[in-house]
Amino acid sequence: MGLPSLDPFLTSGRHNMWRGDELGGADAQVVGSGHAALDAQLPGGGWPVGAMTEVLQSTPEAHVWQLLLPALAQAVETRGGPVVLIGAPHEPFGPALAAGGLPVEALMWVRGAPGGGAQRLWACEQALRCADVAAVLAWLPQARVGELRRLQLAAAQHEGLLFVFRPESVAQSASPARLRLQVVSAEAGQMDVHLLKRRGPPLAAPLTLPARNARMTALLAASQLRRKARLQQQGVVLPAAPGGIVVRLDLRRRERHALDRLAVA
C-alpha cells in the first residue's frame, strides 16, 4: 500500500504559507498607521488589532502622539469607544490632539502607582476586557515577560489596539509582542523608527518619519519668526551658528536694560 500523497494538502494550504524572507500578511484586522512609509513595512499594512505592539523609547513621552495619533483617531471614529491611557507620564494636550482628529472627550486617563506595578497591569487587563474601548496605551517600564504575555492573551480576545511603552534598555530582552519598534529622536524634527520584530525579514535601516505634523511645524516656524523680530527690535542679534545670544552694547538708552547688564557682566 502506497503512502498518501501530500499534494492536495500543499495545494489547499499554499495561500496560508508564509516564507521567512517575505513580509508576512496580517492574520487579523489592522488599522493603518497614517504613515505610508511605515504601513509599507508592517504586515498587512497597519497596526495589528487584537495584538500587543511594543514601543521602546529613551524617554516615555517622546513622539507617542505623532506616531499613533492618525490610527487612534481612526479607531475612535470606527468603534466610537474611548482611548484609555494607563500610566501616561504627562497629561495630554487636548487642543493638539483634537486638531489631529482625536477629541478630548474620547480620552480616559487612568492614573496608577508611579513607575509601574500591579495596579497598571490590572487596569490594562480591565480595559482590554471592555468591548467599547477602541485602544489601550499603557506605560509599563517594569513589566516582566510573564506579565506581558498575559496582556498579549487579553489583547487576543479584544478587537482594539494595544500599545505598551517600555524603555529602550530592554531591546535585547525577549518579548511576546507581535510587533516591536524602537523610536529614536533624529535631527530636523524627525524620528527614526526601528522595526525590531515583525512577521518578516529584519529591516536593515530605520524609517525616518516626521516628529510633528505639518500644522505644528508651521506654528513653530511662525513663532520663531515673531521671536526673532521681537529680539531685533530690542537690539538683540541672534547668531547664525549655535551659541550664546549676542547683545549690541552701543545702544544709547536712558535706562539700562537687564539684558545690557547681563552682557556687560
Side-chain angles (χ1 to χ4, degrees), residues 214-234:
R215 182 176 181 181
M216 182 61 67
T217 301
L219 290 175
L220 291 176
S223 177
Q224 292 177 354
L225 289 176
R226 290 194 299 268
R227 177 176 178 271
K228 182 177 181 180
R230 183 172 64 254
L231 292 177
Q232 288 178 346
Q233 292 177 356
Q234 296 174 354

Side-chain angles (χ1 to χ4, degrees), residues 182-195:
Q182 182 176 0
V183 181
V184 181
S185 298
E187 297 181 357
Q190 305 289 323
M191 59 178 167
D192 290 338
V193 178
H194 301 258
L195 294 180

Side-chain angles (χ1 to χ4, degrees), residues 52-115:
M52 180 173 64
T53 297
E54 188 177 4
V55 182
L56 308 184
Q57 301 167 292
S58 59
T59 55
E61 72 279 358
H63 310 311
V64 170
W65 296 113
Q66 181 58 23
L67 180 65
L68 304 182
L69 185 56
L72 296 178
Q74 180 181 348
V76 169
E77 182 180 0
T78 302
R79 295 177 59 87
V83 172
V84 180
L85 312 178
I86 300 175
H90 303 290
E91 181 177 356
F93 184 55
L97 299 184
L102 183 62
V104 180
E105 55 270 18
L107 295 178
M108 182 180 297
W109 187 15
V110 179
R111 302 185 184 183

